[in-house]
Amino acid sequence: QVRLVESGGGSVQSGGSLRLSCTASGVTGTSDCMAWVRQVPGKAREGVASIDGYGGIYYANSVKDRFTISQDNAKHTLYLQLNSLKPEDTAMYYCAADPGYCYSDSPDAYEYKTWGQGTQVTVSS
């Protein structure tokens, strides 16, 4: 059974940066579609970025050119570098995984089979 554990969230001022990490344990596939998904209470979740082992990297338009997703397969860790943060980036950020490659250019296209517990990012103006 795969377990995902996020870390790195926190509170920053507008324009600041954070780096989120997600460590996977259990049986994971390097070809899985790994993603960061965020959610604000009362709003629909938003797929922020996704990556797979075949070189596929995709971003939501709202974070393109500000956020960078990467993964270190040797460490079984997924990262999300958040730069130029805005108050509207405030949300709970979840690490998620779906079997197979990322077949869509939209991180919102998946149900995601496995989820972490989330890490809170708060950006103040």
Side-chain angles (χ1 to χ4, degrees), residues 1-122:
Q1 184 176 355
V2 176
R3 183 167 178 250
L4 303 174
V5 179
E6 302 96 331
S7 61
S11 297
V12 296
Q13 291 190 328
S14 182
S17 298
L18 284 172
R19 188 193 196 202
L20 308 183
S21 299
C22 169
T23 301
S25 61
V27 179
T28 59
T30 57
S31 60
D32 286 353
C33 183
M34 302 296 297
W36 290 96
V37 179
R38 65 186 180 186
Q39 186 159 27
V40 176
K43 295 187 178 181
R45 72 184 190 194
E46 179 187 18
V48 172
S50 57
I51 186 171
D52 62 28
Y54 299 98
I57 298 177
Y58 308 98
Y59 296 98
N61 288 333
S62 58
V63 306
K64 201 170 291 184
D65 299 326
R66 298 189 299 122
F67 291 7
T68 302
I69 190 171
S70 62
Q71 61 183 355
D72 185 332
N73 289 327
K75 296 182 179 179
H76 302 289
T77 301
L78 179 73
Y79 302 100
L80 185 68
Q81 179 68 41
L82 296 75
N83 296 329
S84 303
L85 281 162
K86 305 175 181 179
E88 51 264 42
D89 294 319
T90 295
M92 184 72 79
Y93 283 71
Y94 297 91
C95 173
D98 203 62
Y101 69 101
C102 297
Y103 57 82
S104 171
D105 60 2
S106 170
D108 267 334
Y110 312 90
E111 290 296 324
Y112 296 108
K113 183 177 180 180
T114 305
W115 293 81
Q117 85 289 349
T119 186
Q120 178 69 35
V121 172
T122 302

